[in-house]
Amino acid sequence: MKVKVEEPRPRVFVVAPEGDVDMSSSPEVRKAMAPLFRQGTAQVIVDLSAVPYMDSSGIATLIEGLQLSHKGSIRFTLAGMSPSVEAAFELAHLKDVFEVLPDAQRALEEGSIR
Amino acid sequence: MTSRNQISGPILMEIPSDPSALFLVRCLMESLSQRLCFPEEDVARMTLALDEACTNVIRHAYGERADQRIVLRFLALDDRLEVQVRDFGVSPDLNALAPRDLGEIRPGGLGLHFIRGAMDEVQYEIPEGGGCLLRLVKFRRMGDAG
């Protein structure tokens, strides 16, 4: 799996996995995302617009991110969820636990006016 | 001849206990349940449920060894789709198989919740010789197209 990491603004990172996030690929998402929760980071945005499918391994990875964000007082945002990924979050009663925005651009814009 | 909504015999699939093979299971489950005219929402949930069942086998029965056997048997009947998942690893403690409380926000433990939420029947059995046989059933509802 390809996971792109960009810093479009200082201290704001966008992590963008491409493809299904399941037991085989979630370790790669974790590997790309976890080091970003370091001192000085203001926000981590996970752009899910190129993720057609996610299972509980992927969701667990994002919960780990959420926990790291709480520890570091870092804003953590999920963006661009497909309907099937959104349905999995709803099944897990997790949609309201995360900050979820329609797309990464919106997440960046909202971050800049905070 | 059978109707479009049933297939005259079981469809068998065997994969290694390698997470990289899970997409094949998802492809078959998705195609079959679409063909059987389950609603799209059910197709997505059933596909997720079977993925989670296989993930649990890889993780718990086989301790993440990638070279073991998982045998899947799909039975498309007029009133239901039944999928059996057979492994030959460490048998689960049947009394300990319960979904966790969703009120806890923590990684892990969601798979059983997804399986039970998607399927109408979920039965675990320890066959002679060990391992586990999981039987998942989804009934077609009156009014499902096809």
Side-chain angles (χ1 to χ4, degrees), chain B residues 7-135:
Chain B
I7 296 172
S8 58
I11 299 159
L12 297 172
M13 179 183 210
E14 179 167 333
I15 60 161
S17 54
D18 183 339
S20 300
L22 289 174
F23 82 99
L24 292 167
V25 175
R26 293 199 295 271
C27 285
L28 180 52
M29 184 63 164
E30 187 176 35
S31 301
L32 194 53
S33 49
Q34 278 171 343
R35 172 75 183 185
L36 297 175
C37 299
F38 282 98
E40 273 308 309
E41 187 185 318
D42 286 348
V43 170
R45 288 179 174 214
M46 291 157 69
T47 303
L48 178 62
L50 186 58
D51 175 295
E52 297 291 348
C54 294
T55 296
N56 282 346
V57 167
I58 295 170
R59 189 166 281 147
H60 302 296
Y62 289 134
E64 302 195 15
R65 280 175 301 160
D67 58 351
Q68 304 297 301
R69 296 172 64 210
I70 303 176
V71 180
L72 298 120
R73 185 172 185 266
F74 297 79
L75 206 51
L77 302 174
D78 205 33
D79 67 334
R80 66 188 184 272
L81 174 63
E82 178 172 331
V83 186
Q84 297 175 358
V85 182
R86 175 77 166 102
D87 73 71
F88 307 90
V90 177
S91 301
D93 175 357
L94 298 186
N95 296 317
L97 287 171
R100 74 165 167 83
D101 177 8
L102 291 182
E104 298 171 60
I105 309 300
R106 62 173 174 82
L110 289 171
L112 276 181
H113 176 76
F114 288 157
I115 294 168
R116 292 192 190 279
M119 307 306 289
D120 295 318
E121 290 182 8
V122 178
Q123 293 174 344
Y124 290 89
E125 184 187 322
I126 310 294
E128 268 186 51
C132 185
L133 175 66
L134 169 61
R135 182 172 163 269

Side-chain angles (χ1 to χ4, degrees), chain A residues 92-114:
Chain A
H93 299 192
L94 283 171
K95 210 177 154 207
D96 296 335
V97 172
F98 290 87
E99 179 183 39
V100 180
L101 291 174
D103 56 65
Q105 190 55 43
R106 170 94 175 268
L108 282 166
E109 285 163 8
E110 291 215 353
S112 66
I113 56 173
R114 275 205 166 187

Side-chain angles (χ1 to χ4, degrees), chain A residues 20 22 53 55-56 67 91, chain B residues 26 45 48 51-52 113:
Chain A
D20 290 353
D22 63 4
Y53 174 86
D55 73 2
S56 67
Q67 291 174 334
L91 275 175
Chain B
R26 293 199 295 271
R45 288 179 174 214
L48 178 62
D51 175 295
E52 297 291 348
H113 176 76

Side-chain angles (χ1 to χ4, degrees), chain A residues 60-109:
Chain A
T61 301
L62 295 177
I63 293 175
E64 288 168 16
L66 183 71
Q67 291 174 334
L68 290 170
S69 76
H70 288 165
K71 273 186 200 161
S73 300
I74 294 164
R75 189 175 175 197
F76 186 53
T77 309
L78 307 182
M81 275 188 189
S82 68
S84 71
V85 172
E86 194 172 337
F89 272 78
E90 277 169 3
L91 275 175
H93 299 192
L94 283 171
K95 210 177 154 207
D96 296 335
V97 172
F98 290 87
E99 179 183 39
V100 180
L101 291 174
D103 56 65
Q105 190 55 43
R106 170 94 175 268
L108 282 166
E109 285 163 8

